[in-house]
Amino acid sequence: PVDYTRGMKAAWLPAAWFALCLGLSAAAAPVYSIHFEMDPKRPGWLAQLKGEATRAKELGYTHIILIQRAAYRLDMGAGTKGGATPAELKELIRHIGDTLDLEPIIELKMFGKQGLTLGDLIEKYPGITYKGKTAGWMADVLNPQFRLPDGRGVYEGVSWPLIDELLSFYGKKKAKYFHIGWDELDKDGLEQAARAENLAPPSLWAREFNRVTGHLIRKGITPLAYGD
């Protein structure tokens, strides 16, 4: 355990805040989550993950986070490079949620690692991302100022429809959580995006984080993100 309070001013840590946290912790049910990587290039991946989900329930897990490893082949046309199809995603999500009564949590990389999220759209719409120095799909950072040919912004025209389509795959058990990734953001790509708006990189990072999490919160969904 790490003492994150070390060196912080006492004024930042009011006793009421600690009491609230302790009260919430005591009242909340424990969460046991496990990550499953979806790799459609692996033969039999769907049947394997459905079996592993059943085993996860037997071991006491309550939440299964489905990690994106290729651009989803969604109806709105995000990617066609070997990612999971709508039918496959629906089958897996509903098996976890409706059949096993666990919490399925879908991941969609937002802002960074856009090679995974946008797939073929990066080639279709030049300028939709800033290309950093990291290898492969990790290099692309979303261009928040980009507009589609019909005038819509990148969030309204691409990001929000992608989220909505993934949420539509849930069955009787509706989505409570949505994982936005947000880890290992390419530093050079972020700096390019920030310079284009005359902002400091941390300011742009925070603004976009608030934009994406705010969108999910307004839909009644709790956003999840990695801490790095």
Side-chain angles (χ1 to χ4, degrees):
V2 178
D3 179 8
Y4 291 104
T5 66
R6 185 174 300 161
M8 298 176 68
K9 294 181 179 179
W12 293 6
L13 304 168
W17 174 246
F18 278 110
L20 174 62
C21 291
L22 289 172
L24 291 175
S25 298
V31 170
Y32 301 101
S33 66
I34 187 171
H35 292 68
F36 284 177
E37 291 192 356
M38 294 183 291
D39 185 3
K41 296 179 181 178
R42 187 176 70 240
W45 73 275
L46 181 57
Q48 180 183 350
L49 288 191
K50 288 173 67 177
E52 290 178 357
T54 301
R55 179 59 176 153
K57 180 172 183 177
E58 294 171 353
L59 293 173
Y61 287 100
T62 57
H63 295 60
I64 295 179
I65 301 175
L66 300 171
I67 303 301
Q68 181 186 13
R69 279 293 173 264
Y72 299 128
R73 287 181 281 171
L74 301 180
D75 291 339
M76 68 87 61
T80 56
K81 297 181 178 179
T85 66
E88 290 169 334
L89 290 167
K90 184 182 294 184
E91 181 177 344
L92 181 57
I93 289 171
R94 295 189 179 190
H95 174 73
I96 295 170
D98 295 347
T99 303
L100 299 179
D101 196 27
L102 302 176
E103 293 291 344
I105 303 172
I106 194 74
E107 179 195 57
L108 183 70
K109 302 289 188 184
M110 304 295 295
F111 196 43
K113 294 186 176 180
Q114 290 300 281
L116 273 183
T117 294
L118 299 180
D120 293 346
L121 294 181
I122 293 176
E123 300 174 6
K124 184 177 181 180
Y125 300 121
I128 198 171
T129 64
Y130 290 99
K131 183 73 71 173
K133 297 179 179 178
T134 314
W137 45 260
M138 295 180 65
D140 290 282
V141 174
L142 188 69
N143 177 1
Q145 294 183 300
F146 183 81
R147 291 197 168 273
L148 299 175
D150 61 8
R152 288 180 299 166
V154 68
Y155 282 100
E156 291 72 23
V158 177
S159 301
W160 302 159
L162 280 172
I163 290 175
D164 288 342
E165 186 169 354
L166 289 172
L167 293 176
S168 73
F169 299 150
Y170 285 74
K172 296 177 182 178
K173 181 184 283 289
K174 301 303 180 184
K176 293 181 180 179
Y177 309 93
F178 194 94
H179 205 302
I180 63 173
W182 220 272
D183 57 320
E184 302 169 345
L185 193 66
D186 185 279
K187 180 175 180 290
D188 186 68
L190 174 62
E191 290 175 348
Q192 292 179 57
R195 281 198 301 271
E197 299 194 50
N198 197 29
L199 292 172
S203 297
L204 180 64
W205 187 102
R207 187 192 73 186
E208 297 310 300
F209 187 82
N210 288 336
R211 188 203 302 253
V212 174
T213 56
H215 177 76
L216 290 167
I217 290 169
R218 286 189 293 274
K219 296 172 77 69
I221 297 171
T222 298
L224 302 180
Y226 296 114
D228 57 343

